[in-house]
């Protein structure tokens, strides 16, 4: 508490703390969060943001059960609508919304506007050549009929699993080992685990995983970009 208050006083600006994936929090962590929220209610320069998924855990019920604490505002984030998908494609492909609308309609119906599903599907289309940059036309182009006919996985985890299966054996091993540890892994711990994994170059494999968007490197840690990626990698480990 004192650290957060001191920071806000020294910086002379409000301090905002974000807690992600609260749906996985255990009772002790929720108790700690409650004490932080109660403390922040008496301060004018401390703010907390919590992110959770409605379909997992019971965080909403936990919030409702709190008798004391600050006033809470809830913002429900739904999947992207067709206009948002088209705006995303227009931005990513550097084309006008009029040109990307036909592609947006197809991808919207295949992903139902799930942001992670949509991004991974785009990566898959680029890898297989259905979406590519045309040098003669100097713009991104796509095969509408081919994309329309393609069979898409029932969910993002299944799509991620298929993508992981196309990677090199070394990279698959890195992802599987990391998935057993958790969403965040110390680099030193990862190095120790990979020593006996018969990987030719662990450093290269980890760098490739970061480059391909499975990991995010943060100082001394390696984080999965999303818990769905960790789930997909873990599902490939034989039971």
């Amino acid at each position: 508490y004192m650290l957060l208050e001191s920071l806000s006083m020294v910086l002379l600006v409000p301090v905002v703390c974000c807690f992600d994936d609260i749906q996985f929090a255990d009772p002790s962590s929720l108790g700690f969060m409650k004490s932080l929220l109660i403390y922040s209610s008496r301060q004018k320069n401390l703010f907390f943001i919590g992110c959770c998924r409605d379909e997992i855990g019971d965080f909403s019920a936990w919030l409702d059960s709190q008798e004391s604490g600050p006033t809470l505002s809830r913002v429900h984030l739904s999947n992207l609508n067709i206009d948002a998908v088209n705006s995303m494609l227009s931005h990513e492909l550097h084309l006008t919304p009029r040109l990307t609308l036909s592609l947006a309609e197809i991808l919207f119906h295949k992903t139902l506007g799930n942001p992670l599903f949509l991004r991974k599907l785009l990566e898959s289309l680029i890898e297989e050549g259905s979406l590519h940059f045309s040098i003669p036309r100097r713009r991104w182009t796509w095969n509408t009929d081919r994309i329309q006919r393609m069979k898409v996985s029932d969910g993002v985890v299944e799509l991620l699993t298929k993508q992981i299966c196309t990677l090199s054996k070394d990279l698959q091993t890195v992802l599987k080992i990391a998935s057993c540890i958790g969403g965040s892994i110390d680099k030193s711990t990862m190095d120790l685990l990979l020593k006996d994994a018969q990987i030719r170059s662990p450093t290269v494999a980890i760098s490739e995983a970061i480059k391909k968007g499975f990991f995010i490197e943060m100082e001394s840690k390696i984080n999965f970009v999303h818990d769905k990626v960790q789930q997909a990698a873990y599902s490939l480990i034989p039971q």
Side-chain angles (χ1 to χ4, degrees):
Y1 309 145
M2 296 299 295
L3 174 61
L4 293 174
E5 186 175 2
S6 298
L7 283 174
S8 62
M9 293 176 63
V10 171
L11 298 176
L12 301 179
V13 294
V15 173
V16 180
C17 296
C18 180
F19 296 100
D20 198 8
D21 288 332
I22 303 178
Q23 68 273 6
F24 298 126
D26 57 24
S28 297
S29 299
L30 290 176
F32 173 68
M33 287 182 55
K34 178 182 179 180
S35 63
L36 281 178
L37 292 174
I38 294 175
Y39 175 78
S40 67
S41 66
R42 300 192 293 266
Q43 309 297 320
K44 296 182 179 180
N45 49 2
L46 293 178
F47 301 91
F48 291 89
I49 298 174
C51 305
C52 70
R53 291 207 298 272
D54 293 336
E55 70 272 18
I56 300 178
D58 199 18
F59 181 65
S60 295
W62 178 83
L63 282 179
D64 294 335
S65 68
Q66 305 309 304
E67 297 180 354
S68 60
T71 301
L72 302 175
S73 299
R74 303 189 188 189
V75 179
H76 179 72
L77 299 178
S78 57
N79 284 346
L80 303 177
N81 58 30
I82 181 65
D83 292 331
V85 171
N86 193 32
S87 178
M88 174 183 170
L89 291 177
S90 175
H91 179 268
E92 294 289 334
L93 303 180
H94 302 284
L95 296 170
T96 64
R98 179 180 61 84
L99 292 175
T100 57
L101 181 58
S102 61
L103 178 61
E105 290 175 341
I106 297 174
L107 298 186
F108 173 75
H109 289 296
K110 289 185 178 294
T111 64
L112 299 179
N114 182 298
L116 179 62
F117 201 171
L118 177 62
R119 182 163 292 280
K120 288 303 178 182
L121 180 56
L122 280 173
E123 293 175 3
S124 178
L125 293 177
I126 292 173
E127 289 176 359
E128 68 175 33
S130 296
L131 175 63
H132 67 280
F133 188 82
S134 172
I135 295 179
R137 300 180 64 181
R138 292 185 292 182
R139 50 158 284 189
W140 286 90
T141 60
W142 52 88
N143 188 321
T144 302
D145 293 336
R146 183 177 177 183
I147 296 174
Q148 184 73 64
R149 292 195 305 269
M150 71 178 295
K151 293 183 179 180
V152 179
S153 304
D154 292 333
V156 65
V157 173
E158 185 178 345
L159 177 62
L160 288 168
T161 301
K162 290 182 178 179
Q163 287 186 339
I164 293 174
C165 288
T166 65
L167 303 175
S168 65
K169 290 185 178 180
D170 284 356
L171 185 48
Q172 288 188 46
T173 300
V174 168
L175 293 173
K176 290 176 184 177
I177 292 176
S179 70
C180 297
I181 306 302
S184 181
I185 312 103
D186 288 324
K187 290 182 180 179
S188 57
T189 302
M190 196 67 182
D191 291 339
L192 288 174
L193 293 173
L194 294 179
K195 281 185 177 180
D196 299 325
Q198 298 181 342
I199 295 177
R200 288 171 293 180
S201 178
T203 302
V204 172
I206 292 175
S207 298
E208 186 180 355
I210 295 172
K211 183 179 179 181
K212 288 184 175 294
F214 294 102
F215 286 151
I216 295 178
E217 189 175 14
M218 299 182 66
E219 297 180 352
S220 62
K221 292 183 177 292
I222 299 170
N223 298 337
F224 278 99
V225 296
H226 198 280
D227 60 90
K228 293 292 187 183
V229 178
Q230 179 192 358
Q231 182 181 344
Y234 189 80
S235 69
L236 292 173
I237 300 175
Q239 299 298 320

